[in-house]
Amino acid sequence: MADAKKLAEQLKKLNELRGPVPQELRDRVAAQNKAQRAILDALKEGPKTAPELAAAAGLPHDRAIWYVSALRKYGKIADVPGKGDYPKYELKGGEAK
Amino acid sequence: MRELEKIEVDTLVVGSGIAGLQSALDLADQGFSVAIVEKAPSIGGKMISLSKVFPTLDCASCITTPRMASVSHHPRITTLTYSTVDAIRRDGKTFTASVTRKPRYIDEKECISCKRCEEVCPVFVPDEYEVGLGAKKTISIPFTNAIPQYPVMHPEHCIRCGACARACPKDCIEFLQEPAPVEIKAKAVILATGYETTPMTAKKQYGLGKLPNVISPMAAERLLAPHGPYGRVLRPSDGMTPGSIAYVQCAGSRDKSIGIPYCSRVCCMYAIKQAILLSGSLPIADITIYYMDIRAFGKGYEQFYNNARAMGINFVKAKVARITEDEKHNPILRIERQEGTSGPDEVKHELVVLSQGLIPGHDASAFGLGTENNDFGFVKLSDEMVSSAVTAGAGVFAAGVVKGPRDIPDSVVDAGSAAMEAASYMRKL
Amino acid sequence: MDEKTRDEASKDNFRQEPKVGVYVCHCGGNISDIIDVKAVAAALAKYPGVAVAREYAFMCSSNGQDLITEDIKNLGINRTVVAACSPSLHELTFRNVLQRAGVNPYLHEHINIREQASWVHKLDKAGATAKAIKLAQAGVEKVLRKDALNAIRVAAEQRVAVIGGGVAGMRAALSAAGKGLEAVIIEKAPRLGGKLLELGKIYPSGEEGAAVAKKLETLVLAEKKITVHTGADIDYVSGFVGNFKVNFKKPDGSSRQVKAGAIVMATGYEHYKPAQGEFGYGEDANVVTLPEFLALMKNSPAGRLELAGREIKSLALIHCVGSRQVEGVHKPQADGKINDYCSRVCCSSALYAANQVKERYPGVRIYDVYRDIRTYGMQHEEYYDKASRDGVLFFRHNDTDQPAVTSDRTGHTVKVKDVLTWGEELEVKADLIVLVTGMMPADISLIKSQLKLPSSADRFLQEVHLKLRPVELANSGIFVAGTAQYPMDVTEAMASAGTAAAKAAILLAEPDIPLEPFVAVVDEAKCTGCGLCPAECSYDGALMMGEHKGKKVAIVNPALCKGCGACVAVCPTRAINVAGWTLDQFDAMVEAIAKE
């Protein structure tokens, strides 16, 4: 575990060297967090397809499938077995009803 | 800059794709010491990201990972990943390469590859390993089979929250890490810098990069790979299972208008292979390959092509003039048939793969070692009727696609002969 | 760890109580998409003798290998079972893992649950899983009964015998000699050069074939480490890795023998010879093959292309003669098989020849009848372009609509159903028909049968694995170079030959060669000296009757034994076993599989 003081010093030095974190990046991360939360919230109601998640989270379809891919990779959501044009996704660990 | 690290070996191999790995192994197994420099964070080159490989349909990982493991465990091979060769100087019979280890922003000696930094990092970025289709974190291990298994941090996407440093059990995150210089002395150099695919801007009328469901063959490989971005074949615009998929052949080869008149040798076969794999994972999908000539010229390739035809894959002799899309992002191909009914035609598919060609991955002449390029930027041999690896630069040899497009079997064979030429050269020094 | 301490360490492992580690590979999804790998690991974890069972995405990857190494270090695992792909792919990978970790590499069992379970039972997931469990359990039973083995080391001749003195043979000899090995080229023709000598100008350099051969020959003759025997008629090849013997007759009738540690098969190809009457070949003098045409062009005067004094004003090239043949359309060869492969070089050769015709005899009309133009090489597309620019007319047909040639007094007519004009039946008249013939392997049946060399369905020599071991034959110590393996052009033959030499150099890098220890072992106490087994042995000198402590018993020469097991089958007292594959092990495996 990092020493809190050492870490703080490093980050401070980093800010001096590179200037503050760009606003564009902060906004992007905020938008990412919002989109993820919206997708995970929507899945609490039950399994959904990528277009359904896009509608629920107010995202374009291609962004929704990108987030699905991200959340799948990091173990937050899983595929629902089955066939069909649009596969469904669910929360991992049976958090959905 | 950190302190200068010095390495002395018999042979320097630039590039760690299948050609680089194989030539390093073929030298090291004969008793020579080798240093491999790779610009990517992992060894393995393009091949490790492929799904399965023609004509035997072995999984690419099954063939590449053991090669990667042999290299990384070999007592006579040193690998430098995430490192660039900035210059190579020739002093008499010795080459001195100036190499920079790019900062991963972690202490590689301490890192235990536990992935905790990656788990807690809050920022997603497009994953270039998945050709943008998937996501990774700002600090992440490049891919499952990567060697070495060190995470890489991309400071331009870092919000400096410190979560990774707090999660790291070995305290090895180094936000202030700097590039480290390395000097490699060697008696011979093998260039194995491989290829890139033709840029997507080359054929603007095909819409690659603009139309979401027109994808590159590398992206298609990832869709088909066991650990791909979606875990199954879906199209990128909306996550739909495509029911109709088309391949456009020679999209970036045999085309003087984009300065690439040559045949890229691999595209017919990878398209056929992907079509076979697609029909395996999507049994009801319609798959069409639009082509000029099918070039299945290697051992077992014609039979592979015949199998694909017997499986019901449609081969249509036609030129594709341009690609547009409908409101649902279904690509529409304007084609000119060369058989059957005459004249132009419009056909709709749900996903299109552009069979891009191969261009040089690196300008080898920039090293200033006396090697020459051909008209298209590939390394020229001094006399290809006498040796398949000797370049115009004394002590400099070429392996694999650096000399021109070739497939995996041809590259593996080629690499062995490059190793042999280097061995003969060093023995005579 | 040096060899000796490693052997000691292995013995120590062996003395310890067996602790089996079982590792189930997902093989990406090749296995885990069908087989429930977690269930397999769980079932094996409970099996007697198993200390740990794990599953992982790619056991062969560095991470996967590390799992095993860690278990050896931390849990004292001293035998392993890996349930994964075919052992031909990765058994060696895992033996090396054990070796590195200080465990005898032969205390490993590789179980194939991919080809033998997941791939063949795609529609029965539960059944495939149950089968994988049974197979892995059998593997555990086997590995529990395994002995630590050590590779048999045999002294190797530091010499490479290269059979064939064409481009590939000369290149292989040059490369081997470059590394410091002695190389002996054994060529049946009176001089070096092979097929190159017959060809005219060849692509991509535009040199005469004979000139290219001369360049290589000069290098070969200047190399002290290379010995050349031309006019050599091979009559007997025998031996095994490290100790091959190639016997041949010299032109004067005397016999010679070359001893070699490795053999490079650079035996080349023959041009496909059209069947009597195939497109009129053999019946009409104006139907020739491409190599015959090249000779004809060489002998024609400047400004006038002629055959037997008659001027040729038009010619038709017909591609894929003897290549890409179609079942039911083409007549099979003598062995009953069609040539369904592409001969790779003929499209480029034909168009290169067409370019030459247009350069030397611009007035000659050329028609080109093809299925697909396969000018795949860097410069080859230019030959195609140039031909089009120079007015060569192309006709394209489908596989089932083969062109036909008819002849009468006015000349020859080629009929072709041309897809370029949407399937119209076209006829062109030509003075000469040139059949663009493919390649077939040279007849090496004698050597093949004596050394038991494998060939593929296309009759060319069969490599072990196109990507992992592309120039090695299954016979240890024998490598293939050039067109003996598959059609290729000069530049490609160079690469292949260089690599064959590299593999020979790796094999002979040390004075002795390790051989697999899977050879017959006689339990002298059980052997009754009945003498049944030597009669079954097909390897000269591998198994003979002899004496042991005054008793007549069977005696094995481990360097010659191939471990085929024929002797095991006839022994009435179970006194012979193949090491690593004993009858007790098989019994235990069968029992494990049959158990309810």
Side-chain angles (χ1 to χ4, degrees):
Chain A
M1 213 65 72
D3 176 345
K5 212 172 126 194
K6 193 184 122 194
L7 176 61
E9 269 168 25
Q10 272 200 32
L11 293 173
K12 196 179 150 207
K13 186 88 188 287
L14 207 57
N15 288 337
E16 283 166 14
L17 283 171
R18 300 204 191 125
V21 174
Q23 193 54 45
E24 177 277 327
L25 179 56
R26 289 178 187 281
D27 293 347
R28 177 149 53 97
V29 174
Q32 278 187 6
N33 291 338
K34 196 177 145 212
Q36 277 185 72
R37 263 197 312 276
I39 288 173
L40 294 174
D41 281 345
L43 286 177
K44 283 184 186 152
E45 298 162 14
K48 285 196 166 47
T49 66
E52 286 163 1
L53 289 170
L59 290 168
H61 287 190
D62 60 335
R63 294 310 292 159
I65 183 70
W66 189 74
Y67 280 113
V68 162
S69 147
L71 293 168
R72 248 184 114 257
K73 177 171 174 180
Y74 290 99
K76 301 278 195 258
I77 66 174
D79 299 344
V80 178
K83 293 194 169 106
D85 283 353
Y86 290 94
K88 289 189 178 211
Y89 304 92
E90 64 186 358
L91 289 176
K92 208 152 178 186
E95 284 171 56
K97 278 175 212 133
Chain B
M1 277 281 190
R2 288 178 275 175
E3 203 183 317
L4 181 68
E5 178 186 348
K6 290 187 177 181
I7 296 171
E8 207 170 321
V9 288
D10 292 321
T11 306
L12 166 67
V13 175
V14 188
S16 73
I18 191 66
L21 293 177
Q22 189 63 50
S23 49
L25 282 171
D26 283 346
L27 275 170
D29 286 346
Q30 291 183 58
F32 295 99
S33 59
V34 181
I36 305 179
V37 181
E38 167 58 53
K39 67 175 190 295
S42 168
I43 56 173
K46 293 277 193 295
M47 185 175 170
I48 187 64
S49 67
L50 305 181
S51 54
K52 292 185 181 183
V53 283
F54 61 79
T56 41
L57 294 184
D58 303 290
C59 61
S61 292
C62 304
I63 310 287
T64 326
T65 44
R67 283 282 179 277
M68 292 161 69
S70 302
V71 161
S72 70
H73 289 132
H74 206 295
R76 286 186 287 275
I77 302 178
T78 312
T79 46
L80 288 84
T81 48
Y82 211 43
S83 300
T84 52
V85 178
D86 306 319
I88 308 178
R89 208 171 60 238
R90 188 202 299 272
D91 314 302
K93 287 175 176 174
T94 311
F95 295 96
T96 308
S98 307
V99 173
T100 306
R101 285 187 193 267
K102 292 191 272 185
R104 286 183 163 96
Y105 301 97
I106 58 144
D107 181 347
E108 293 170 17
K109 285 190 202 74
E110 290 294 316
C111 176
I112 52 165
S113 312
C114 67
K115 275 187 117 166
R116 270 185 226 155
C117 54
E118 182 172 349
E119 281 157 20
V120 299
C121 175
V123 184
F124 286 116
V125 292
D127 189 352
E128 71 273 17
Y129 184 73
E130 304 291 2
V131 202
L133 297 181
K136 65 174 184 180
K137 300 286 188 74
T138 290
I139 183 166
S140 50
I141 290 179
F143 52 91
T144 323
N145 296 333
I147 293 182
Q149 282 276 306
Y150 297 136
V152 175
M153 187 197 291
H154 299 281
E156 68 278 20
H157 299 297
C158 174
I159 55 166
R160 298 172 216 167
C161 66
C164 51
R166 280 187 290 275
C168 177
K170 303 289 283 183
D171 191 15
C172 60
I173 306 292
E174 294 188 351
F175 287 101
L176 299 168
Q177 194 173 57
E178 288 187 26
V182 187
E183 183 188 277
I184 302 177
K185 280 198 189 301
K187 295 177 201 146
V189 176
I190 293 182
L191 302 170
T193 46
Y195 68 93
E196 292 299 332
T197 45
T198 38
M200 57 186 193
T201 46
K203 292 285 273 187
K204 286 203 174 63
Q205 60 273 44
Y206 286 172
L208 184 62
K210 291 227 172 70
L211 309 179
N213 292 324
V214 175
I215 63 170
S216 72
M218 287 310 231
E221 289 291 335
R222 295 310 303 157
L223 289 180
L224 288 161
H227 295 251
Y230 312 135
R232 53 179 134 190
V233 180
L234 301 175
R235 66 180 199 173
S237 75
D238 57 1
M240 186 182 83
T241 309
S244 156
I245 302 157
Y247 280 81
V248 179
Q249 294 310 104
C250 298
S253 306
R254 302 182 67 189
D255 188 343
K256 282 191 189 140
S257 72
I258 56 166
I260 303 175
Y262 55 85
C263 165
S264 290
R265 288 174 70 146
V266 295
C267 331
C268 282
M269 288 303 291
Y270 73 60
I272 295 172
K273 171 202 75 181
Q274 290 185 358
I276 288 176
L277 295 176
L278 282 168
S279 65
S281 49
L282 307 171
I284 51 167
D286 234 28
I287 304 162
T288 307
I289 297 182
Y290 296 101
Y291 74 100
M292 293 202 271
D293 297 279
I294 289 293
R295 296 190 163 169
F297 55 81
K299 185 161 183 161
Y301 293 8
E302 182 74 12
Q303 295 85 339
F304 193 73
Y305 169 39
N306 288 338
N307 289 346
R309 293 203 300 169
M311 285 169 77
I313 290 155
N314 305 309
F315 286 83
V316 177
K317 291 189 185 95
K319 281 187 179 169
V320 176
R322 67 163 184 275
I323 305 174
T324 52
E325 64 177 13
D326 69 6
E327 70 289 349
K328 285 182 175 154
H329 298 298
N330 293 312
I332 300 165
L333 276 60
R334 173 96 175 163
I335 65 167
E336 286 159 29
R337 288 182 199 274
Q338 299 193 317
E339 66 176 336
T341 54
S342 64
D345 215 342
E346 284 200 341
V347 208
K348 195 189 282 188
H349 293 280
E350 289 172 354
L351 181 68
V352 169
V353 183
L354 295 184
S355 293
Q356 290 168 290
L358 310 188
I359 58 168
H362 188 85
D363 178 6
S365 69
F367 290 127
L369 296 173
T371 63
E372 288 166 24
N373 289 350
N374 70 10
D375 295 347
F376 315 110
F378 294 103
V379 173
K380 220 157 81 175
L381 294 171
S382 63
D383 185 349
E384 60 189 330
M385 304 306 256
V386 168
S387 162
S388 59
V390 176
T391 72
V396 185
F397 306 92
V401 185
V402 72
K403 292 177 289 192
R406 35 175 62 64
D407 59 24
I408 293 164
D410 285 350
S411 294
V412 174
V413 166
D414 195 76
S417 72
M420 207 54 197
E421 290 291 1
S424 303
Y425 169 82
M426 290 187 285
R427 190 178 150 263
K428 284 172 191 142
L429 276 184
Chain C
M1 212 185 298
D2 66 35
E3 197 116 332
K4 201 166 166 203
T5 49
R6 194 187 285 139
D7 283 353
E8 289 304 313
S10 311
K11 272 184 205 142
D12 282 346
N13 288 132
F14 183 56
R15 275 191 221 108
Q16 291 156 7
E17 189 187 329
K19 268 191 165 177
V20 181
V22 179
Y23 303 90
V24 185
C25 183
H26 301 197
C27 195
N30 279 305
I31 292 170
S32 56
D33 284 353
I34 308 296
I35 289 171
D36 182 347
V37 285
K38 284 201 164 62
V40 178
L44 267 294
K46 285 184 279 184
Y47 199 75
V50 175
V52 64
R54 303 184 191 278
E55 32 82 28
Y56 186 68
F58 288 104
M59 281 309 303
C60 61
S61 70
S62 210
N63 294 358
Q65 297 185 23
D66 289 349
L67 282 178
I68 301 179
T69 319
E70 291 294 306
D71 284 349
I72 290 172
K73 208 164 75 188
N74 301 332
L75 307 177
I77 294 299
N78 51 22
R79 279 147 205 265
T80 52
V81 171
V82 170
C85 56
S86 155
S88 70
L89 208 56
H90 282 322
E91 185 172 37
L92 199 59
T93 308
F94 293 104
R95 276 200 216 142
N96 289 338
V97 173
L98 268 64
Q99 177 119 29
R100 278 202 306 274
V103 176
N104 185 287
Y106 296 100
L107 295 174
H108 168 75
E109 183 64 17
H110 201 92
I111 293 295
N112 182 354
I113 58 167
R114 193 178 74 175
E115 283 84 342
Q116 294 176 3
S118 69
W119 279 1
V120 285
H121 304 296
K122 281 206 162 100
L123 303 176
D124 179 10
K125 293 188 178 186
T129 303
K131 183 173 175 183
I133 291 172
K134 282 283 182 196
L135 290 172
Q137 287 172 343
V140 172
E141 292 295 347
K142 183 171 180 209
V143 85
L144 282 169
R145 287 164 179 77
K146 279 196 171 184
D147 294 324
L149 300 173
N150 285 308
I152 298 162
R153 302 198 80 94
V154 295
E157 293 282 349
Q158 294 292 305
R159 190 178 302 110
V160 182
V162 179
I163 303 184
V167 267
M170 287 194 278
R171 178 72 261 167
L174 282 168
S175 293
K179 176 71 206 313
L181 286 167
E182 260 186 62
V184 183
I185 298 178
I186 303 160
E187 164 61 48
K188 67 169 185 264
R191 54 173 301 195
L192 293 174
K195 283 282 177 293
L196 271 187
L197 299 172
E198 304 164 13
L199 301 176
K201 264 191 179 183
I202 51 170
Y203 74 83
S205 75
E207 292 159 277
E208 289 285 326
V212 173
K214 187 78 206 162
K215 277 200 290 195
L216 284 161
E217 188 185 20
T218 309
L219 293 172
V220 164
L221 298 178
E223 177 59 71
K224 286 193 191 67
K225 289 203 167 276
I226 302 179
T227 312
V228 177
H229 296 285
T230 48
D233 183 14
I234 293 181
D235 42 30
Y236 191 60
V237 189
S238 64
F240 52 94
V241 59
N243 295 277
F244 292 107
K245 296 183 186 78
V246 185
N247 299 286
F248 57 91
K249 287 226 162 46
K250 306 219 329 166
D252 63 9
S254 66
S255 290
R256 280 292 295 266
Q257 184 180 71
V258 170
K259 288 185 182 167
I263 292 181
V264 173
M265 293 294 292
T267 47
Y269 72 97
E270 290 297 338
H271 297 290
Y272 169 80
K273 193 164 174 10
Q276 178 73 17
E278 187 172 2
F279 298 110
Y281 186 81
E283 291 169 351
D284 189 319
N286 295 322
V287 180
V288 298
T289 65
L290 181 62
E292 288 163 358
F293 174 70
L294 293 177
L296 179 153
M297 185 160 53
K298 214 171 151 182
N299 299 329
S300 286
R304 185 181 148 98
L305 180 64
E306 60 177 44
L307 172 62
R310 205 167 60 87
E311 184 170 11
I312 306 289
K313 290 184 180 155
S314 57
L315 62 91
L317 291 157
I318 298 179
H319 286 243
C320 295
V321 178
S323 306
R324 300 186 70 191
Q325 291 182 327
V326 181
E327 203 77 65
V329 173
H330 289 96
K331 227 176 90 188
Q333 296 296 300
D335 61 0
K337 286 190 289 195
I338 54 161
N339 295 353
D340 60 355
Y341 57 91
C342 164
S343 284
R344 187 168 174 132
V345 300
C346 358
C347 280
S348 300
S349 306
L351 293 171
Y352 192 70
N355 292 167
Q356 288 178 61
V357 173
K358 283 289 183 187
E359 247 165 56
R360 292 177 57 185
Y361 314 103
V364 173
R365 288 189 307 282
I366 304 179
Y367 308 103
D368 186 290
V369 180
Y370 75 100
R371 265 175 73 193
D372 292 281
I373 292 290
R374 293 182 167 174
T375 43
Y376 62 87
M378 194 89 229
Q379 304 96 325
H380 305 189
E381 197 71 19
E382 174 54 23
Y383 312 150
Y384 186 16
D385 273 359
K386 187 171 182 314
S388 309
R389 282 198 309 271
D390 288 349
V392 173
L393 283 179
F394 288 89
F395 302 90
R396 183 176 197 173
H397 64 89
N398 280 324
D399 53 351
T400 45
D401 298 318
Q402 292 289 326
V405 175
T406 52
S407 306
D408 59 28
R409 245 174 256 153
T410 60
H412 305 274
T413 308
V414 184
K415 263 195 210 165
V416 53
K417 200 170 171 194
D418 177 36
V419 301
L420 299 175
T421 47
W422 301 288
E424 216 171 306
E425 189 91 52
L426 297 181
E427 292 188 1
V428 286
K429 283 207 167 273
D431 297 336
L432 186 72
I433 305 291
V434 179
L435 306 180
V436 181
T437 46
M439 288 187 184
M440 290 180 69
D443 180 12
I444 48 166
S445 45
L446 183 78
I447 306 175
K448 260 162 94 170
S449 70
Q450 287 171 352
L451 286 173
K452 302 185 171 64
L453 303 181
S455 16
S456 27
D458 53 25
R459 308 178 202 88
F460 289 92
L461 287 174
Q462 168 82 58
E463 67 289 330
V464 174
H465 189 285
L466 204 53
K467 297 177 195 78
L468 288 172
R469 294 164 69 187
V471 299
E472 294 166 63
L473 302 185
N475 316 62
S476 177
I478 305 183
F479 308 98
V480 58
T483 52
Q485 183 178 17
Y486 192 69
M488 47 182 92
D489 69 15
V490 172
T491 66
E492 290 160 346
M494 288 294 155
S496 150
T499 296
K503 299 300 171 191
I506 291 167
L507 178 75
L508 302 176
E510 293 194 25
D512 56 2
I513 296 174
L515 299 183
E516 292 278 39
F518 307 128
V519 296
V521 177
V522 178
D523 180 344
E524 290 91 358
K526 284 190 190 163
C527 179
T528 60
C530 70
L532 282 174
C533 53
E536 293 304 314
C537 181
S538 3
Y539 300 95
D540 279 351
L543 182 61
M544 281 178 289
M545 298 311 291
E547 263 196 22
H548 178 78
K549 293 184 181 165
K551 183 182 162 195
K552 190 182 169 199
V553 293
I555 292 180
V556 177
N557 179 344
L560 297 178
C561 175
K562 300 272 186 237
C564 73
C567 52
V568 178
V570 295
C571 180
T573 58
R574 289 172 70 115
I576 295 197
N577 269 296
V578 174
W581 303 91
T582 66
L583 291 171
D584 290 349
Q585 291 166 7
F586 283 123
D587 288 348
M589 289 174 86
V590 171
E591 231 162 79
I593 290 169
K595 200 162 57 189
E596 277 308 308

